[in-house]
Amino acid sequence: MVTAYDYPSAVHVDRAGIDIVLVGDSCAMVELGFETTQPITLDEMIHHCKAVKRGAPNRPLLVGDMPLGSYEYEDSDVALRNAYRMLKDGGMDAVKLEGGSAARANTTKKLVEGGVAVMGHVGLTPQAISVIGGFRAQGRTATRARSLLDEAMRLQDAGAFAIVLECVPANVAKVITDTLEIPTIGIGAGAGTSGQVLVFHDMLGMLSHPHHEEFVPKFCKRYARVGHYITKGLEEFRHDVEQGDFPSEEYSPYVMTEEEKEAFDLLLAKDEEDRRTKHDETIKKLTEADEYEQLSLYGDKDK
């Protein structure tokens, strides 16, 4: 499983033969620039789900994250209504919920009974970082590890078809996987899970910004460094434009016939004086409005 958040990323993931595409609420961080996943809204998630559906319309299973605030209510009908929107409006095949509490299991059961396939998620649950104290590994004590097993079993009993195990010790993830009848998908949980998931931008090194480099998860193997090539390409474009090397004749393919060039020159000659007068009037108007200095269009504004 790999995340995708837009049409191009979905196309790439589909072409690579990935089985499951997750439209994750991590979109809030890697696409929208937020510090956590919490700010993204249901409408925003549906917007991204639609784009992913267009990019991978047939082969992979599409799973959409239900964002914070869309399913936690005591009235589980709210969660069901929002899940229907993810499927009907967003084009998803299933939704993913975070947490394995009794309340979350009840919500899972409600959705499944309503015809919505649900993927569970236990361990590090990013939507709950305010409660668990940040992005921290989970299940590193015997008591907490046993709780994670209970949560996973609870979600299975509620009808979840698979469970994500995030940032838990490998031995704990393996025990959970061996205990369950449904598949597990690990992220930072060792090799003993049924499958693996990584974030598209992290695994491909999409961003080369120092801040992003600092916060790439320890468990993420980089299979490419696309961000460096993107920056290099943009820098080369800027250089070519500044030096007048782009566009060359090779990249200026649209031409007039000689006959049309002559006709065009005749048309220009007819109102040449009017155009010159209007040009001078515009210069005067912008100079009086101080626009040249404000926009720095014509050289150093301090001169």
Side-chain angles (χ1 to χ4, degrees):
M1 183 165 76
V2 173
T3 64
Y5 313 103
D6 52 28
Y7 177 85
S9 59
V11 168
H12 285 298
V13 173
D14 188 18
R15 286 178 177 175
I18 303 298
D19 297 314
I20 306 173
V21 177
L22 172 65
V23 188
D25 58 359
S26 49
C27 174
M29 302 175 70
V30 299
E31 287 272 336
L32 304 182
F34 290 109
E35 292 293 323
T36 73
T37 66
Q38 293 178 336
I40 198 166
T41 66
L42 179 63
D43 286 339
E44 289 169 333
M45 283 298 302
I46 290 173
H47 170 83
H48 287 276
C49 287
K50 288 179 176 180
V52 169
K53 176 65 174 180
R54 291 190 288 269
N58 299 313
R59 191 194 55 78
L61 180 72
L62 303 181
V63 181
D65 261 336
M66 296 282 286
L68 180 69
S70 66
Y71 61 92
E72 300 87 347
Y73 302 94
E74 185 175 351
D75 181 0
S76 56
D77 284 339
V78 176
L80 184 59
R81 284 195 298 270
N82 290 334
Y84 283 151
R85 288 194 62 198
M86 293 286 283
L87 270 59
K88 296 169 72 68
D89 298 339
M92 296 293 97
D93 300 310
V95 299
K96 180 166 76 64
L97 311 181
E98 291 188 7
S101 66
R104 198 69 73 247
N106 288 336
T107 301
T108 298
K109 186 172 186 294
K110 175 77 172 185
L111 267 56
V112 172
E113 290 178 347
V116 179
V118 176
M119 177 180 286
H121 183 156
V122 300
L124 171 60
T125 49
Q127 293 176 6
I129 60 169
S130 300
V131 176
I132 63 178
F135 294 99
R136 298 179 177 178
Q138 302 293 307
R140 291 186 291 183
T141 67
T143 301
R144 181 56 183 142
R146 174 63 212 214
S147 296
L148 290 178
L149 174 58
D150 291 340
E151 290 176 9
M153 293 173 64
R154 191 179 293 131
L155 291 173
Q156 175 179 258
D157 291 343
F161 71 90
I163 297 178
V164 170
L165 304 177
E166 181 166 359
C167 294
V168 302
N171 63 306
V172 177
K174 188 176 187 311
V175 168
I176 294 174
T177 301
D178 291 344
T179 302
L180 299 181
E181 294 299 319
I182 60 175
T184 59
I185 301 175
I187 178 167
T193 53
S194 310
Q196 299 290 330
V197 59
L198 285 176
V199 171
F200 183 90
H201 292 65
D202 292 342
M203 67 178 294
L204 297 180
M206 287 291 291
L207 297 179
S208 57
H209 190 280
H211 174 79
H212 182 77
E213 297 276 353
E214 183 180 351
F215 289 99
V216 172
K218 296 178 181 178
F219 56 74
C220 183
K221 178 179 179 179
R222 293 194 189 177
Y223 289 85
R225 291 187 176 272
V226 176
H228 292 283
Y229 291 100
I230 291 174
T231 301
K232 185 174 183 292
L234 291 170
E235 289 173 346
E236 290 180 359
F237 168 68
R238 185 200 67 207
H239 176 270
D240 284 356
V241 172
E242 291 174 346
Q243 298 300 313
D245 296 331
F246 179 85
S248 62
E249 288 188 11
E250 179 183 358
Y251 299 105
S252 303
Y254 310 111
V255 297
M256 282 181 163
T257 64
E258 291 300 321
E259 182 180 355
E260 290 299 329
K261 285 181 182 179
E262 292 176 5
F264 184 49
D265 289 340
L266 289 174
L267 289 173
L268 292 175
K270 290 180 179 181
D271 64 349
E272 182 176 0
E273 188 62 34
D274 288 342
R275 286 185 290 109
R276 183 180 293 111
T277 299
K278 290 180 180 179
H279 178 261
D280 293 341
E281 290 174 352
T282 301
I283 289 177
K284 181 180 178 181
K285 179 181 178 181
L286 292 177
T287 301
E288 291 174 350
D290 203 27
E291 288 295 323
Y292 284 170
E293 287 71 22
Q294 291 179 21
L295 300 177
S296 302
L297 294 177
Y298 296 90
D300 191 338
K301 65 181 180 180
D302 295 328
K303 292 183 178 179

